[in-house]
Amino acid sequence: MGKGRVGQLLLMVCFMPVFLAQGAGVKNTGEAGDVAIPIIEDVSPTNAPPSAEVRIVGRGFGVRPGGVVLSGLRVGPHKWTDSEITFKVPADAASGSLVVRSSAGERSAPVPFVVDRALPPGQVAPYGFVLERTGLPGAAFLVETDGQCLYGVSGFKALCVYEIKGAGPHERRGRFYLNQRVAKLRVRGGYLFVAGDHGLLIYRCADLRAGKTSPVAAIAGGSYIGVDARPDPVGRFGGLLVGLCEHTPLWGTTTLRVVFYQFVDDELICLGTFGREAASDERQHSMALDPLNRKAYVSGYLSVTGADKYILELDTSAIDRPRLNHREETGAVLACDIDVCGNVLWTGVAAAGNQLFRVYELREGTNHLSLSRTIYGGISLGRVSCVKVIDERVTAGCSWYGERPDIFLLDTLGAKTLPSATYNSLDWAFGITGFLPAGSTNSGKVIVADEWGGFITLDFQLAPKFAFSRQPDYQWVVSAAMTENISLAEDRIYVAGRGAGPWSASRTNVADESNWRHVEFDWSLDKPQPNPVSAVCTRRDPEAGMLITALGHEKAMAWGEKVIGLLYRETETNILLLAESEVIDPPGGGSSGVSAVWPVADLVYMLTGTDGFRAYVVDPRAPSITLHRDCRASGFATNIYSTSMKTRCMKYHADAGKRRLIITSWPGLLGSDPTLNIFRLEYPDGPPDRRNPDAPIQVTHEIAPAVFKVEIGAND
């Protein structure tokens, strides 16, 4: 089975519970008599590429044509008899379940079907690769809510579902791994729409609350960054109208598309596509449907850095033939997030300067949108703002770039040009949502995807004035962070989290959340999250148990400027911080190192970037972690390492009584020195330890290989 075929099993796993839950065909008896339930006996082929013809053989299909439903996508048959159907696989079909629906509305039991798609050159799975049990969830990026649950995406691919509580911890309902990098979440009409780089997944919110993870419908074959779903404003179509905008053209084409579907009775029906020739670097970024008029709004840019951003206003009155009604030029300001309330379009901007949000007035017919106000904040070299309209009174927004404040309450239909209330995130606010509980007219909740801070919840009130408040622990929902380094020891894997300290998990099932251990947040502090760490190493101490040392930093983004040695102890349930070393400040703004080694009982080496590497002596009894006296003033090998040659990775090697550190480095822009060096370690009085911490360390630069030549055979 090749990579492409494996890749197209993506939704088979998602839909498998559906296959198991539904039985074979029977007769449904009603007042009008017996109605045959279709029974599929054979499908040929069971896997096929788009445009291929598929034959279904069975019985009870009925004389009058019904429909074929492929992973929730309604497909028109080419041939239909009571015992045989043929159809062509649509270009947007996704692997999953194949169902026959008769003209009387009876449905067959689902059977598995694979849509084969070739991987683009240079891309490895996933192009629909099944991401099962992949590990820790990663940083919090997207969040959406229906007022009952928060639906959060972390690490781009892990979806967590938590039941929202008025007070106290939210209750986890599930966490599972998606088959794509998710770009946008929308909740509408009791469904969660999940758009990403391989297609669209639609889940019933009630299913997710019950721990069920099978989508009701899906499409594939497009890289979608924006999605919206709303009732048809003219009432022609039942269910919801769904709009999707591609971020980039389909592989092998130069056409950017916006596609429209009807979603009704858990089925998607393709209605129309707006396509246009794209410039070489052009991308679309977000979209929203007009709730009052048959229009759609799509933002994009011709280039990342140019003053060539825009919002397209599409006329969808003839939805099978959408057309461009207007192109609003927005200069250097990208509308990176869009939401709508009535005739008001809110956009979160990506731009330098002091703009946070832009608000547009929407008009009907050939009249087009126009800028009505701008919301301002502090000056920033660049920000990415997200926006969520809660109702006609209040909108929530956030701004991602490390600025403070970065969480906002805004008056939806008012005239203010400044936020009505502000708050600070724990880390960097990346995504935001919010709601007013049923029956409440004055207070609600805002939920923030706080990147390396996890998912946090704030309470808000509207009267006597807009204001934020919070519970002491922000009703925090756990998330990991960017993984910088890993270490294996015994039956566990240890992770250096750039924003969440050290984590550990079972090495045989990293995704088993019940087995995760990590440093707890200290909610009594202004900054409660653990130190960010870029390297970890472990050693089991006969008295203290499993110890972890980590290369720590005083802040996550760009690592700050200071470096700290950290000592932890792992318990059966979590990881406890025991001690911190003195702080060092390497030249040039912090450490780039992602390696630490623990070669002997109480001695640890860590890479400290511009000043080489340093040694730390560990004593779990005190407890303490202390810089060795020979490298307190500066690191080892400062004659080799500098701001133009920073240490990066390190391995320890011992053989025949000889001890060596093998270190690689990052050269500067014009650097030409060797980037791999080998150092010999010697301990004249024995290795430093908790009893003799000042025993000398001798470091000798042995070799700096100039060139490594690796020959790879044609079949390697």
Side-chain angles (χ1 to χ4, degrees):
M1 186 180 293
K3 282 185 179 178
R5 176 72 186 279
V6 172
Q8 295 319 307
L9 294 177
L10 70 137
L11 287 174
M12 300 281 293
V13 174
C14 293
F15 281 93
M16 190 58 67
V18 178
F19 307 146
L20 301 177
Q22 300 189 26
V26 294
K27 286 190 176 182
N28 181 23
T29 303
E31 293 182 3
D34 291 344
V35 177
I37 293 180
I39 298 175
I40 298 174
E41 297 176 340
D42 183 64
V43 177
S44 180
T46 56
N47 61 285
S51 299
E53 186 172 270
V54 177
R55 178 171 175 260
I56 306 173
V57 176
R59 62 185 188 275
F61 298 157
V63 177
R64 295 176 57 190
V68 175
V69 183
L70 181 49
S71 301
L73 176 65
R74 193 176 296 181
V75 183
H78 281 210
K79 175 184 177 182
W80 185 288
T81 70
D82 187 57
S83 60
E84 183 178 342
I85 302 168
T86 62
F87 71 94
K88 286 190 175 181
V89 178
D92 52 353
S95 300
S97 64
L98 182 66
V99 170
V100 171
R101 182 175 41 76
S102 71
S103 60
E106 298 294 335
R107 298 167 65 92
S108 72
V111 297
F113 189 86
V114 174
V115 180
D116 274 329
R117 297 183 186 276
L119 286 170
Q123 182 173 358
V124 297
Y127 189 65
F129 180 66
V130 179
L131 284 173
E132 282 294 301
R133 303 188 181 278
T134 57
L136 301 180
F141 283 117
L142 299 171
V143 65
E144 181 59 295
T145 185
D146 57 1
Q148 298 183 63
C149 286
L150 75 84
Y151 308 96
V153 170
S154 51
F156 294 108
K157 299 183 179 78
L159 178 66
C160 67
V161 181
Y162 279 76
E163 182 181 349
I164 297 171
K165 300 297 184 180
H170 301 320
E171 184 176 342
R172 186 171 71 88
R173 293 300 185 184
R175 176 182 280 111
F176 59 100
Y177 294 86
L178 300 168
N179 45 43
Q180 61 178 347
R181 291 168 293 183
V182 179
K184 187 66 180 178
L185 302 175
R186 292 273 194 195
V187 167
R188 202 81 72 192
Y191 293 87
L192 176 68
F193 296 81
V194 182
D197 62 351
H198 299 309
L200 172 71
L201 297 165
I202 304 175
Y203 298 89
R204 289 191 199 93
C205 293
D207 287 350
L208 294 174
R209 289 194 295 271
K212 301 175 182 178
T213 59
S214 296
V216 298
I219 58 172
S223 180
Y224 298 114
I225 194 170
V227 62
D228 199 7
R230 294 180 184 272
D232 182 8
V234 300
R236 177 183 170 190
F237 296 105
L240 296 169
L241 292 182
V242 179
L244 288 160
C245 73
E246 285 183 322
H247 179 57
T248 185
L250 287 173
W251 169 60
T253 76
T254 57
T255 301
L256 269 174
R257 302 179 304 156
V258 183
V259 295
F260 298 93
Y261 293 84
Q262 180 188 10
F263 179 62
V264 62
D265 298 329
D266 289 351
E267 294 178 9
L268 285 163
I269 305 165
C270 188
L271 299 177
T273 300
F274 174 78
R276 60 198 174 88
E277 188 74 9
S280 59
D281 296 324
E282 186 172 5
R283 299 292 184 267
Q284 294 176 154
H285 209 277
S286 189
M287 80 164 299
L289 299 176
D290 192 324
L292 303 179
N293 304 286
R294 276 279 194 89
K295 290 185 178 183
Y297 302 89
V298 179
S299 66
Y301 58 82
L302 295 179
S303 65
V304 173
T305 58
D308 48 20
K309 315 304 187 285
Y310 57 79
I311 299 174
L312 303 180
E313 179 178 290
L314 304 182
D315 182 343
T316 60
S317 54
I319 202 164
D320 58 331
R321 300 183 306 278
R323 65 178 184 86
L324 180 63
N325 189 54
H326 172 68
R327 179 185 175 114
E328 180 79 3
E329 302 295 340
T330 59
V333 177
L334 172 66
C336 67
D337 195 25
I338 302 178
D339 204 2
V340 184
C341 180
N343 68 335
V344 170
L345 180 84
W346 276 85
T347 68
V349 308
N354 63 349
Q355 295 188 35
L356 288 169
F357 308 96
R358 286 184 172 185
V359 186
Y360 294 83
E361 181 183 354
L362 306 182
R363 298 187 175 96
E364 60 184 353
T366 57
N367 298 314
H368 56 77
L369 81 165
S370 62
L371 182 65
S372 59
R373 62 177 164 138
T374 301
I375 313 300
Y376 296 96
I379 296 291
S380 173
L381 296 177
R383 61 165 53 93
V384 178
S385 299
C386 293
V387 65
K388 171 67 176 183
V389 175
I390 297 175
D391 67 5
E392 68 278 359
R393 292 168 298 165
V394 61
T395 290
C398 66
S399 178
W400 179 89
Y401 200 70
E403 61 188 304
R404 295 291 186 269
D406 58 350
I407 304 172
F408 312 100
L409 288 180
L410 313 151
D411 61 327
T412 303
L413 303 180
K416 292 183 178 179
T417 58
L418 294 173
S420 298
T422 63
Y423 212 82
N424 295 340
S425 67
L426 295 178
D427 185 57
W428 286 23
F430 200 91
I432 195 164
T433 188
F435 68 97
L436 284 159
S440 174
T441 59
N442 186 52
S443 60
K445 290 183 180 291
V446 163
I447 306 169
V448 179
D450 196 6
E451 198 165 0
W452 299 334
F455 298 96
I456 63 172
T457 300
L458 300 175
D459 297 292
F460 70 83
Q461 66 177 36
L462 302 182
K465 65 178 182 178
F466 283 22
F468 281 113
S469 61
R470 66 173 175 86
Q471 297 182 38
D473 65 350
Y474 295 84
Q475 296 181 277
W476 179 66
V477 169
V478 64
S479 182
M482 185 181 296
T483 298
E484 286 288 330
N485 174 252
I486 61 174
S487 177
L488 297 175
E490 299 177 359
D491 62 346
R492 300 190 67 77
I493 182 171
Y494 295 85
V495 175
R498 183 161 177 169
W503 283 53
S504 77
S506 166
R507 66 191 297 175
T508 58
N509 187 359
V510 180
D512 179 6
E513 187 170 345
S514 66
N515 241 314
W516 292 349
R517 298 168 193 164
H518 55 84
V519 184
E520 300 293 338
F521 280 37
D522 185 348
W523 299 110
S524 66
L525 303 177
D526 291 337
K527 295 183 178 181
Q529 56 268 57
N531 286 93
V533 298
S534 59
V536 292
C537 56
T538 63
R539 179 173 285 269
R540 182 167 290 281
D541 184 84
E543 297 176 1
M546 183 60 75
L547 298 177
I548 304 167
T549 56
L551 179 62
H553 309 265
E554 93 275 19
K555 66 177 183 179
M557 184 52 64
W559 293 128
E561 297 182 356
K562 297 178 175 59
V563 176
I564 314 161
L566 301 168
L567 175 64
Y568 301 88
R569 181 171 63 88
E570 183 179 31
T571 73
E572 290 297 316
T573 58
N574 59 15
I575 296 173
L576 302 175
L577 177 64
L578 299 181
E580 300 183 17
S581 75
E582 52 267 67
V583 175
I584 62 173
D585 187 0
S591 170
S592 60
V594 292
S595 289
V597 296
W598 202 331
V600 291
D602 297 333
L603 186 63
V604 175
Y605 291 93
M606 299 187 192
L607 296 184
T608 49
T610 58
D611 74 343
F613 58 98
R614 302 214 187 192
Y616 292 83
V617 179
V618 170
D619 184 355
R621 301 171 306 174
S624 64
I625 177 170
T626 308
L627 276 168
H628 188 269
R629 70 170 189 178
D630 292 344
C631 58
R632 283 178 187 153
S634 63
F636 293 115
T638 52
N639 59 319
I640 297 172
Y641 300 109
S642 65
T643 55
S644 61
M645 183 67 72
K646 304 175 185 179
T647 55
R648 181 64 175 167
C649 297
M650 170 174 56
K651 292 294 182 183
Y652 175 76
H653 178 73
D655 182 42
K658 297 180 179 179
R659 307 176 181 91
R660 292 179 175 87
L661 291 178
I662 305 168
I663 297 177
T664 63
S665 53
W666 272 352
L669 181 62
L670 302 177
S672 59
D673 292 332
T675 58
L676 186 146
N677 290 275
I678 299 174
F679 299 89
R680 185 174 71 251
L681 303 175
E682 294 177 295
Y683 310 117
D685 299 334
D689 60 21
R690 66 190 76 177
R691 298 174 185 82
N692 188 15
D694 293 332
I697 300 173
Q698 293 181 355
V699 175
T700 304
H701 185 210
E702 277 197 340
I703 188 172
V707 176
F708 280 92
K709 182 179 181 181
V710 179
E711 294 184 358
I712 301 176
N715 297 321
D716 289 349

